[in-house]
Amino acid sequence: MSDLIQLENRGHVAILTINNPPANTWTEESLGALAETIEALNADRNIFALVVTGQGEKFFSAGADLKTFADGDEGRANRMAQAFGHAFATLSRFRGVSIAAVNGYAMGGGLECAMACDIRIAEEHAQMALPEAGVGLLPCAGGTQNLPWLVGEGWAKRMILCGERVKADKALDIGLVEEVVPTGQSLEKAIELAEMACKQSPSSIARCKSLVMSARDGRSHDDGWRMERELFVELFATDDQREGVNAFLEKRKPEWKNR
């Protein structure tokens, strides 16, 4: 585990903090640590939800440090692109619910990290942008793919092609974030949502998430409905299915085993 990534477990919720002040920029080391951390959380049956936030009060993450690309080294560019892609793809595949507590600026790879999460809570002072084209680069960690899905092609083009930066209230209006909270309250709200998710069956959540994400793959409705039925039946091989139904019938809280 790198010092650039901090992890705290609160019950069934893991809190991951990007810890590279002052701007919480990503490095090859921290991206590798992020992927390793997510893989470890996936293997931990006791973790049902994940909250991602940035250290401090000003930055969620400013993305990559541009000094990394100043010399035009293609080999380094390839390593960083692969590291970004692998880290955020791994984050997207976290089996539980992931929530980004956007506590400040989320720029470039910082915004791409937030978009790799399932839900985004932004503080009222937060600002978001994908400014890569303005410095001769492009978003290489899901930005051009995830942003149009969330906000539509028009706003994606405004942000990527025109370099438009959006404040939290506009991000809420266009669907980039799900909620805006006062400064200093994003982590609290994200944990509240994570704890709500922990009341759901983790076995069900993992399958529901895969079904929702599969809609991005261009499958037909018939394929989606077929997958729903198949995964519904698959749940009957889990302990959580029996626990959930019987807990409801017995008027008690379920005790999920995540298997």
Side-chain angles (χ1 to χ4, degrees):
M1 176 72 69
S2 168
D3 290 339
L4 301 175
I5 295 292
Q6 295 180 339
L7 187 67
E8 175 189 356
N9 291 347
R10 297 189 189 178
H12 296 301
V13 179
I15 302 170
L16 189 155
T17 302
I18 309 164
N19 181 45
N20 189 21
N24 295 327
T25 49
W26 290 104
T27 66
E28 192 171 357
E29 176 188 346
S30 63
L31 290 166
L34 174 64
E36 291 176 3
T37 300
I38 301 301
E39 289 168 353
L41 293 175
N42 278 334
D44 186 344
R45 292 285 184 178
N46 195 50
I47 296 299
F48 300 171
L50 168 67
V51 172
V52 180
T53 193
Q55 185 272 341
E57 301 176 352
K58 186 174 182 180
F59 285 93
F60 175 76
S61 170
D65 186 342
L66 286 181
K67 294 178 182 177
T68 305
F69 307 118
D71 61 2
D73 187 304
E74 291 185 19
R76 182 181 296 110
N78 180 60
R79 290 195 305 275
M80 287 298 292
Q82 296 300 324
F84 267 110
H86 176 63
F88 296 164
T90 303
L91 175 57
S92 292
R93 290 192 296 267
F94 173 66
R95 57 166 168 72
V97 178
S98 57
I99 305 168
V102 184
N103 58 310
Y105 289 95
M107 302 295 176
L111 180 55
E112 288 174 306
C113 177
M115 290 192 293
C117 295
D118 299 316
I119 299 167
R120 284 151 294 282
I121 306 299
E123 296 186 11
E124 57 190 0
H125 69 285
Q127 297 186 31
M128 285 146 269
L130 291 178
E132 286 88 344
V135 293
L137 301 172
L138 61 79
C140 70
T144 64
Q145 305 304 299
N146 289 333
L147 187 59
W149 185 263
L150 293 171
V151 305
E153 184 176 308
W155 267 102
K157 287 179 175 177
R158 286 180 66 156
M159 293 181 67
I160 296 172
L161 306 184
C162 300
E164 185 164 356
R165 180 184 298 190
V166 298
K167 295 181 180 180
D169 57 347
K170 177 58 70 175
L172 180 63
D173 288 343
I174 65 178
L176 183 52
V177 303
E178 280 65 53
E179 186 171 348
V180 175
V181 297
T183 295
Q185 295 185 19
S186 63
L187 182 59
E188 177 184 351
K189 183 61 182 183
I191 293 173
E192 178 186 329
L193 283 172
E195 290 175 344
M196 289 173 60
C198 291
K199 296 179 181 178
Q200 312 279 79
S201 160
S203 300
S204 296
I205 290 298
R207 289 164 176 82
C208 288
K209 179 172 173 175
S210 69
L211 287 165
V212 172
M213 297 298 288
S214 74
R216 299 188 181 192
D217 297 334
R219 289 187 173 91
S220 68
H221 286 305
D222 286 342
D223 284 340
W225 292 330
R226 174 185 53 76
M227 290 171 61
E228 282 185 336
R229 294 189 295 269
E230 290 175 353
L231 293 182
F232 174 79
V233 174
E234 185 178 287
L235 282 170
F236 282 75
T238 68
D239 293 340
D240 285 342
Q241 179 276 322
R242 290 182 291 278
E243 170 64 13
V245 172
N246 284 286
F248 177 82
L249 294 174
E250 295 166 10
K251 296 180 173 57
R252 61 176 175 81
K253 292 183 179 180
E255 297 181 6
W256 305 121
K257 297 180 180 178
N258 198 12
R259 61 176 183 266

